[in-house]
């Protein structure tokens, strides 16, 4: 909550600066309008490009007609999700099982803004967001040209960072209503020379007004384009791009003992061992089997990869005096979780909870399924950081809380766990395992699961939840160490990982932005289409045109209000119940 307050304070300062610049008329000189803290930056350029792109009119109309159908499907699905979420939260409040506030319901993580949402990496998120906005708004503008509606300007919306883009059609031609004075002034602040060059000096023909079908096609085009781009991105990602990525090995160096033969040879933490002498290494146990077959003092060639580059190190085999450690390796800790509060850290091994030996992830899951909220457990951990590579023990008393996602009465510890057990080798390295091959196969299998509900859940939650709560932000950091480019991707090196990451976030953000814009809430695209078709439906029942318009407007406003309140409830509900 502290980080949220800092961001809020920074945002308020930005808002004050924007207000001062607006009052002094500085922003207006540069064709920038303000709507509260949001900057609307316009340009009249690009009209000829839009005319060129809009030439295949029949194809664009067919494209947009399909988009209308998909918009109504998305509208129903999104509204259903909101209703189900509200009912679930209200039920959990009644049962006193509402999860405590967490990063999953922080205000900044509700919005898909890179640098604000902590789940979206800044670099790939910005690239994906720019692609999303350009695709969405250009489609609106192209369909305006197809339907003969004037595009007054195009531009982007800024609130510290880009939060949207827009194509500004003539409101009177599109909706049959006049824009307010502020919009008129802002859309005509381009200099007279530029307007003359662009051929926009003459007033547009205000006699034409878009029909309901034309308006729906224009509004649905943006959503349709987002869905198409998301589909293309996912096809490329799960097809040729993942096909050009292969696992190196499942065996990663968790710790290098100080002054050990491996340390002297230059081997480092987080390297992946692929081979020793002529023997390929796939599992951590392969290392133990090989070094146990050679005499102590023998020098072996260890092939270890860092950043997908394999290097060879000459390492002397020492005496095998240490035992393996059985347990689950802690990859990371959930922020603000009981594990973090107790002092459990990444790199530790959980070997025992209460009187239960934890030899594998199955043992851990079985034990946690038997726990309940408020239960106090004693967690025994080890970390391979002793001078001889031996494991040092530590005990942590932890009080379990409810799961952040809700839906269960089981206790929540808050650890992201990975490999089962650590192998302390005579080489002076401690090795853990990550199922790199199985993980890659799981990613590749997602498209085949899309025929069922589970496949869609995995795809939509992949960057945040992953397969087991670990999240998959892309091939970066430690995860990328386990893989290397092959086939057509080999000449690109780590560039294949960049392509994979870009496609992941372009696909994910386009899909979510498309779904969000389907919501039946004005001023979203779906809200306008919903209001239009609702008015047509009510008009068939109520003969009086003015009364029909008022009824449909009231219903549309109610939907907008319910959706807004639902989002606020999702954000602030846990804080209201458990405190800020």
């Amino acid at each position: 909550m502290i980080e949220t307050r800092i961001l809020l304070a920074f945002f308020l300062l930005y808002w004050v600066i924007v207000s001062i610049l607006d009052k002094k008329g500085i922003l207006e000189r540069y064709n920038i309008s303000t709507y509260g803290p949001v900057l609307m930056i316009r340009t009249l350029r690009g009209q000829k490009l839009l005319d060129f792109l809009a030439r295949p009119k029949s194809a664009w109309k067919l494209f947009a007609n399909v988009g209308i159908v998909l918009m109504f499907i998305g509208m129903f699905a999104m509204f259903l999700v909101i209703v189900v979420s509200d009912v679930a939260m209200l039920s959990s409040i009644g049962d006193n099982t509402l999860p405590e506030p967490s990063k999953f319901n922080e205000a900044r993580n509700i919005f898909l803004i890179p640098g604000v949402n902590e789940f979206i990496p800044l670099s790939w998120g910005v690239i994906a967001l720019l692609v999303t906005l350009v695709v969405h708004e250009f489609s609106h503008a192209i369909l305006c040209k197809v339907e003969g509606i004037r595009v007054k300007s195009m531009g982007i919306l800024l609130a510290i960072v880009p939060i949207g883009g827009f194509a500004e059609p003539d409101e009177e031609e599109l909706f049959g209503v006049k824009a307010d004075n502020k919009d008129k002034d802002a859309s005509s602040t381009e200099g007279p020379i530029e307007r003359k060059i662009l051929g926009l000096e003459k007033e547009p023909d205000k006699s034409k007004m878009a029909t309901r079908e034309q308006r729906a096609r224009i509004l649905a085009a943006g959503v349709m384009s987002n869905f198409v781009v998301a589909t293309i991105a996912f096809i490329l990602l799960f097809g040729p791009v993942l096909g050009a990525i292969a696992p190196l090995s499942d065996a990663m160096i968790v710790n290098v003992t100080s002054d050990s033969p491996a340390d002297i040879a230059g081997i480092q933490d987080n390297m992946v061992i692929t081979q020793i002498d002529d023997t390929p290494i796939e599992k951590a146990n392969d290392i133990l089997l090989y070094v146990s077959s050679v005499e102590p003092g023998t020098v072996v060639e260890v092939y270890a990869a860092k950043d997908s580059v394999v290097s060879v190190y000459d390492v002397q085999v020492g005496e095998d005096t240490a035992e393996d450690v059985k347990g689950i390796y802690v990859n990371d800790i959930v922020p603000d979780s009981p594990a973090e509060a107790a002092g459990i850290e990444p790199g530790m091994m959980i070997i025992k909870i209460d009187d239960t030996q934890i030899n594998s992830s199955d043992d851990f899951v079985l034990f946690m399924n038997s726990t309940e909220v408020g239960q106090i457990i004693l967690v025994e951990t080890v970390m391979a950081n002793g001078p001889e590579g031996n494991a040092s023990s530590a005990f942590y008393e932890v009080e379990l809380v409810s799961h952040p996602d809700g839906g269960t009465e089981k206790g929540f510890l808050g650890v992201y766990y990975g490999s089962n057990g650590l192998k302390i080798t005579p080489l002076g390295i401690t090795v853990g395992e990550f199922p790199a091959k199985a993980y890659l196969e799981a990613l590749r299998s997602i498209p085949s699961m899309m025929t069922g509900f589970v496949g869609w859940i995995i795809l939509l939650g992949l960057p945040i939840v992953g397969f087991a709560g670990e999240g998959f932000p892309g091939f970066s950091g430690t995860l990328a160490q386990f893989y290397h480019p092959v086939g057509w991707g080999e000449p690109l090196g780590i560039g294949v990982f960049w392509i994979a990451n870009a496609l992941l976030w372009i696909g994910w953000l386009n899909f979510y932005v498309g779904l969000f814009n389907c919501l039946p809430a004005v001023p979203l695209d779906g809200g306008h289409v919903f209001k239009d078709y609702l008015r047509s439906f009510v008009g068939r029942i109520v003969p009086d045109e003015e009364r029909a318009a008022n009824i449909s407007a009231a219903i549309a406003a109610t939907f907008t209000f319910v959706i807004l309140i639902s989002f606020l409830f999702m954000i602030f509900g846990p804080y209201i119940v458990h405190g800020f």
Side-chain angles (χ1 to χ4, degrees):
M1 195 63 185
I2 294 177
E3 291 184 8
T4 301
R5 289 173 182 170
I6 294 173
L7 287 172
L8 181 59
F10 183 71
F11 184 76
L12 291 174
L13 176 61
Y14 153 81
W15 194 345
V16 170
I17 295 173
V18 167
S19 300
I20 294 173
L21 294 176
D22 187 37
K23 287 181 179 180
K24 291 186 176 182
I26 297 175
L27 297 179
E28 187 177 357
R29 296 177 203 167
Y30 296 95
N31 202 21
I32 300 174
S33 301
T34 60
Y35 292 85
V38 179
L39 299 179
M40 195 171 186
I41 305 175
R42 294 177 172 88
T43 180
L44 290 173
R45 300 182 185 279
Q47 298 285 337
K48 292 183 179 179
L49 175 61
L50 292 177
D51 290 331
F52 173 77
L53 294 174
R55 284 179 182 176
K57 296 183 184 296
S58 299
W60 278 114
K61 287 182 179 180
L62 176 62
F63 177 86
N65 284 332
V66 175
I68 294 174
V69 176
L70 292 181
M71 176 176 277
F72 275 105
I73 294 174
M75 191 182 300
F76 175 78
M78 287 293 288
F79 191 73
L80 181 63
V81 168
I82 288 175
V83 171
V84 171
S85 299
D86 287 343
V87 172
M89 286 189 69
L90 289 171
S91 299
S92 62
I93 290 175
D95 299 337
N96 293 320
T97 58
L98 183 69
E100 293 186 5
S102 69
K103 64 180 181 179
F104 292 101
N105 52 22
E106 279 191 33
R108 62 176 177 158
N109 292 332
I110 297 295
F111 302 101
L112 304 177
I113 303 176
V116 176
N117 189 311
E118 63 182 296
F119 294 109
I120 303 178
L122 181 60
S123 55
W124 303 119
V126 168
I127 293 171
L129 184 60
L130 289 175
V131 171
T132 303
L133 299 180
V134 168
V135 164
H136 186 95
E137 296 304 327
F138 248 77
S139 298
H140 284 322
I142 291 172
L143 260 293
C144 281
K145 293 290 186 178
V146 170
E147 303 292 352
I149 303 300
R150 186 172 74 100
V151 178
K152 295 196 298 184
S153 65
M154 294 183 293
I156 60 172
L157 300 173
L158 288 178
I160 301 179
V161 296
I163 62 170
F166 66 90
E168 191 177 26
D170 187 292
E171 291 86 350
E172 189 171 351
E173 292 184 8
L174 183 60
F175 295 109
V177 295
K178 293 184 178 181
D180 56 42
N181 292 332
K182 186 173 186 179
D183 282 346
K184 286 183 179 181
D185 294 341
S187 65
S188 61
T189 51
E190 292 286 352
I193 296 178
E194 182 176 6
R195 292 186 62 80
K196 185 175 181 179
I197 292 174
L198 294 171
L200 296 174
E201 283 188 323
K202 295 178 69 176
E203 285 295 319
D205 182 9
K206 297 293 185 178
S207 62
K208 185 180 184 305
M209 176 181 165
T211 64
R212 174 168 54 84
E213 290 76 15
Q214 288 177 320
R215 193 157 47 246
R217 281 195 290 265
I218 291 170
L219 294 169
V223 169
M224 181 63 178
S225 293
N226 287 138
F227 288 157
V228 168
V229 170
T231 302
I232 293 172
F234 285 139
I235 289 174
L236 291 175
L237 172 63
F238 293 109
V241 175
L242 286 186
I245 296 174
L248 281 164
S249 167
D250 287 358
M252 170 172 273
I253 300 170
V254 175
N255 183 72
V256 179
T257 304
S258 180
D259 299 325
S260 66
D263 186 35
I264 295 171
I267 291 179
Q268 303 172 18
D269 293 353
N270 297 328
M271 285 184 170
V272 175
I273 296 180
T274 62
Q275 183 178 323
I276 299 181
D277 289 338
D278 295 327
T279 302
I281 301 297
E282 293 185 0
K283 305 290 184 181
N285 202 49
D286 294 341
I287 301 172
L288 295 178
L289 289 175
Y290 185 82
V291 296
S292 64
S293 67
V294 299
E295 293 291 329
T298 303
V299 176
V300 296
E301 291 185 332
V302 177
Y303 292 73
K306 184 175 183 179
D307 298 329
S308 301
V309 178
V310 179
S311 302
V312 183
Y313 302 87
D314 294 328
V315 184
Q316 187 178 49
V317 179
E319 295 288 340
D320 188 4
T321 58
E323 297 183 356
D324 298 343
V325 181
K326 294 183 177 180
I328 59 167
Y329 182 70
V330 179
N331 285 329
D332 204 356
I333 302 294
V334 176
D336 303 321
S337 66
E340 183 183 63
I344 298 175
E345 300 176 354
M348 292 182 172
M349 287 281 297
I350 297 177
I351 62 173
K352 195 174 185 181
I353 304 179
D354 290 341
D355 296 325
T356 302
Q357 195 72 35
I358 306 297
N359 293 328
S360 66
S361 57
D362 291 337
D363 294 337
F364 178 74
V365 171
L366 188 63
F367 179 88
M368 292 305 299
N369 284 342
S370 68
T371 63
E372 59 185 23
V373 177
Q375 180 177 337
I376 297 176
I377 60 175
L378 184 65
V379 180
E380 182 179 353
T381 70
V382 297
M383 182 174 281
N385 57 1
E388 301 299 328
N390 297 320
S392 55
S393 299
F395 296 85
Y396 300 90
E397 193 173 83
V398 185
E399 181 177 354
L400 302 178
V401 299
S402 57
H403 198 283
D405 291 340
T408 178
E409 296 180 359
K410 301 166 188 173
F412 177 70
L413 178 60
V415 298
Y416 295 114
Y417 55 90
S419 57
N420 295 329
L422 292 177
K423 309 292 183 181
I424 303 175
T425 72
L427 300 174
I429 55 176
T430 303
V431 184
E433 284 186 4
F434 174 79
K437 183 177 180 180
Y439 196 88
L440 186 60
E441 289 175 352
L443 287 172
R444 290 172 176 169
S445 69
I446 289 178
S448 64
M449 302 169 65
M450 299 300 289
T451 54
F453 184 69
V454 174
W456 285 95
I457 293 297
I458 292 175
L459 178 64
L460 296 180
L462 186 62
I464 296 175
V465 181
F467 295 102
E470 81 290 351
F472 176 66
F475 290 94
S476 58
T478 302
L479 181 64
Q481 294 288 79
F482 289 97
Y483 302 96
H484 68 121
V486 295
W488 67 265
E490 191 170 359
L492 299 178
I494 61 173
V496 172
F497 298 144
W498 297 349
I499 294 173
N501 296 343
L503 289 174
L504 170 68
W505 287 105
I506 287 173
W508 195 78
L509 272 181
N510 267 277
F511 193 79
Y512 266 97
V513 167
L515 277 179
F516 182 76
N517 272 284
C518 288
L519 281 170
V522 178
L524 299 177
D525 297 333
H528 286 295
V529 172
F530 174 72
K531 186 177 178 180
D532 256 357
Y533 278 82
L534 180 65
R535 182 170 180 176
S536 176
F537 175 77
V538 173
R540 297 177 182 179
I541 302 173
V542 181
D544 187 284
E545 186 175 341
E546 184 177 351
R547 188 182 173 200
N550 291 335
I551 292 174
S552 59
I555 296 174
T558 301
F559 270 80
T560 300
F561 179 76
V562 169
I563 291 171
L564 176 61
I565 293 299
S566 296
F567 275 113
L568 293 176
F569 184 45
M570 291 177 193
I571 297 171
F572 296 107
Y575 292 104
I576 293 172
V577 174
H578 297 285
F580 287 84

